[in-house]
Amino acid sequence: MTTQPQPAATRPCLTWPQANARRLARGYLTTPAPDAVGLPEIAGVMLGAHAQVLSAAEVSLAMRAAPGTTRAHVRHALWTEHSLVKTYGPRGTVHLLATEDLPMWTGALSATPRPAGMRMKGTDGAVLLDADQLAAVVAAIGDALADAELTVDELTEAVAARAGGWAADRVMSAFQDNWPRWRAATAYAAHAGALCFGHNRGRKVTYTNPHRWLPGFRPLDADTALSALVRRYLHAYGPALPAHFAKWLAAPSGWANGVFEAMESAGELERVTLEAGPVEAWRVAGDTGYGGVGGYVGVGGYVGPTDEAGASAPAAPGVRLLPYFDAFSIASHPRELLFPGRAYERALTGGQAGNYPVLLIDGTVAGVWHQRRAGRRLHVTVEPLGALGAAHRTALEDEVARLAHIQEAEAELTVGPVTVGPHA
């Protein structure tokens, strides 16, 4: 059955405060998750915690979990239970994902058009990996890691033994070095379900096969996986444009337009007017509520706007400290509304979110922060972009204490300029 787009004049209309309140509540930033909601479920709702800086991913997850959760709980879920997995997720960047979500992730990511990284030429003038070489490398990686955790050097030997010596040719320019040819396929192998991160061996990273932790899983077919991923993205960060989804996924905008339009025709998505322009945006069909844990009243007793059914929105949290590359900072649009005024210049780098940890006040970015650890002491410097009232100062002190508890440390707060630059 094909569904026609609703005429613009009759579409539901959401204000920015309504849209933002939905995202905050659904992402457990308004009220932490109840005890019954575990870290894998939180990772699923967030669509992964960016883990290029692993300590930041630990904070992203633990701050949304039930009170008392620390980084030790995240590490237990990751390295002991294996209910979380460290692998290459959206944008080809390292994420902590719910292990049980791997069929969706691998099905969707392996079907997503990618920049022509594998078609780039190596230092020998040849294409790094053609289609046959790519298939051979992925198969070799999956086989080599089936029952092992291997360092890069060990995996280089294993892939070369299975695929051929050409796979180990050091022709891939990276970080002022030349890497073996096969490493151009690392993220691709992860998206195919053949590779994820294993336990560190001292300071050395290892890789393993995710089938060791989720036996027998297979990537979902492309259409099913992409549909599930779009619905989850829009539930967490919608209403949104196809271009927002494409940016979050590092995929072509034209391709994302086609995916959204096909899902709209199938009745899975609907268009709304977002009063942030205004612009036409998409959400999951019938998704009219807030869907978060209600009852939280922020600093100053603010009560949020209502949805189309008249339900009161959860109030924006008074103060939150989001770490590097937090999912909410990266996935939420329009950026100029989440990062209003001076925040757009101070907390973004060329319009890119995540390179600074950010201070949220009443749901919008209102400053940056940085932490430095010395033994058991966690020195946290917060730079607000405006004056802090007494209530917000007290809430900030509580948030810093919570941040330190998550990291099993003792807090020390300084309110003043952050002199450390953005994370590269």
Side-chain angles (χ1 to χ4, degrees):
M1 177 180 176
T2 300
T3 302
Q4 296 298 318
Q6 189 174 355
T10 61
R11 288 178 194 148
C13 183
L14 277 78
T15 64
W16 165 249
Q18 286 175 320
N20 199 37
R22 286 160 54 104
R23 297 168 185 175
L24 291 160
R26 292 176 177 190
Y28 297 113
L29 290 173
T30 302
T31 301
D35 290 337
V37 177
L39 291 165
E41 289 81 8
I42 293 170
V45 168
M46 293 170 61
L47 290 174
H50 193 293
Q52 202 76 33
V53 180
L54 184 56
S55 60
E58 293 169 348
V59 171
S60 280
L61 287 166
M63 72 185 300
R64 291 167 163 85
T69 304
T70 71
R71 64 181 183 176
H73 295 96
V74 179
R75 293 173 182 180
H76 181 78
L78 177 59
W79 301 123
T80 302
E81 292 180 347
H82 301 304
S83 55
L84 295 173
V85 60
K86 182 181 175 184
T87 188
Y88 292 90
R91 303 178 299 285
T93 53
V94 180
H95 276 68
L96 300 187
L97 306 176
T99 305
E100 66 179 10
D101 285 343
L102 279 175
M104 177 195 72
W105 280 111
T106 53
L109 293 174
S110 60
T112 300
R114 291 293 168 197
M118 258 78 74
R119 296 193 296 274
M120 291 175 61
K121 291 185 177 180
T123 57
D124 61 351
V127 172
L128 282 174
L129 292 170
D130 62 29
D132 290 340
Q133 290 173 323
L134 178 60
V137 165
V138 170
I141 289 172
D143 183 63
L145 298 176
D147 297 302
E149 297 185 15
L150 302 179
T151 66
V152 169
D153 290 341
E154 292 167 345
L155 188 51
T156 297
E157 293 181 7
V159 170
R162 288 164 173 80
W166 55 265
D169 292 343
R170 301 184 70 86
V171 295
M172 179 182 173
S173 296
F175 299 100
Q176 299 180 333
D177 193 8
N178 287 336
W179 287 359
R181 187 186 299 274
W182 72 266
R183 292 192 67 179
T186 306
Y188 191 96
H191 294 168
L195 173 148
C196 67
F197 286 84
H199 303 77
N200 283 356
R201 195 184 302 167
R203 293 188 176 184
K204 291 186 176 181
V205 167
T206 73
Y207 294 110
T208 192
N209 192 314
H211 288 80
R212 296 177 64 210
W213 298 331
L214 191 64
F217 94 84
R218 299 179 63 182
L220 289 175
D221 70 89
D223 289 343
T224 302
L226 284 169
S227 177
L229 186 60
V230 169
R231 289 197 307 272
R232 287 219 199 168
Y233 173 84
L234 289 177
H235 180 80
Y237 304 112
L241 305 178
H244 298 154
F245 177 73
K247 185 178 182 66
W248 170 77
L249 201 57
S253 293
W255 169 83
N257 287 336
V259 172
F260 274 53
E261 289 168 1
M263 290 181 66
E264 181 184 39
S265 295
E268 296 182 71
L269 305 183
E270 64 185 11
R271 304 188 200 199
V272 300
T273 298
L274 181 59
E275 287 185 346
V279 298
E280 178 182 76
W282 276 255
R283 70 179 178 193
V284 176
D287 186 11
T288 60
Y290 288 97
V293 179
Y296 183 90
V297 178
V299 174
Y302 168 76
V303 176
T306 59
D307 65 8
E308 298 103 299
S312 180
V319 173
R320 288 288 181 267
L321 294 175
L322 304 186
Y324 285 116
F325 305 112
D326 188 82
F328 179 81
S329 300
I330 290 175
S332 291
H333 291 272
R335 289 263 165 85
E336 62 271 18
L337 295 182
L338 182 61
F339 295 79
R342 290 179 57 209
Y344 197 89
E345 296 298 326
R346 183 67 180 94
L348 297 175
T349 51
Q352 179 178 334
N355 290 319
Y356 282 103
V358 296
L359 164 70
L360 289 186
I361 295 182
D362 297 334
T364 59
V365 175
V368 297
W369 62 277
H370 183 262
Q371 68 175 39
R372 177 175 57 85
R373 184 155 189 156
R376 287 278 301 170
R377 302 293 295 176
L378 189 73
H379 302 272
V380 180
T381 301
V382 179
E383 179 187 330
L385 297 178
L388 277 182
H392 281 136
R393 173 65 191 236
T394 299
L396 176 60
E397 292 170 354
D398 291 342
E399 185 75 352
V400 169
R402 181 166 169 252
L403 180 71
H405 174 77
I406 287 170
Q407 297 177 81
E408 302 170 306
E410 299 173 2
E412 181 178 295
L413 168 64
T414 299
V415 176
V418 169
T419 58
V420 177
H423 192 278

